Amino acid sequence: MRLLFDGTTPLPRLLLLSTFLVSPDFEAVLNPPAFLPAGHRVTYHPTHLTVTSPTGTRHAVPIADSYWLCRRRPPAGNSAATDRR
């Protein structure tokens, strides 16, 4: 599921969030995980998430850790994208 942490898009359903991708190769970890209710809006900051309820009440959820995700490339000539049917 793709979440928009833009502060204006409400969450579509109740979520238990423990990790999320900030970009395709950068992940953030919440400690402890957070329940995010449907209809709340979330804004990402490098150190925390700001969760805003439909009534305007805000609270911060700290980010415990964030790190780069490293991916290995397949060896040359051994492409994983080759379709063998």
Side-chain angles (χ1 to χ4, degrees):
M1 169 187 252
R2 184 175 296 244
L3 299 175
L4 297 175
F5 291 164
D6 59 3
T8 58
T9 306
L11 296 172
R13 62 181 182 198
L14 173 70
L15 296 171
L16 174 60
L17 187 65
S18 60
T19 64
F20 59 94
L21 291 176
V22 176
S23 66
D25 56 353
F26 194 73
E27 184 173 61
V29 179
L30 300 179
N31 188 16
F35 277 105
L36 303 176
H40 283 56
R41 299 180 315 273
V42 181
T43 305
Y44 168 76
H45 306 279
T47 58
H48 67 282
L49 297 177
T50 300
V51 181
T52 307
S53 73
T55 61
T57 305
R58 295 180 181 192
H59 72 275
V61 177
I63 294 175
D65 194 13
S66 50
Y67 51 88
W68 292 101
L69 299 173
C70 298
R71 293 179 175 82
R72 292 181 54 193
R73 289 185 175 182
N78 191 8
S79 173
T82 305
D83 186 12
R84 298 176 190 244
R85 292 185 191 187

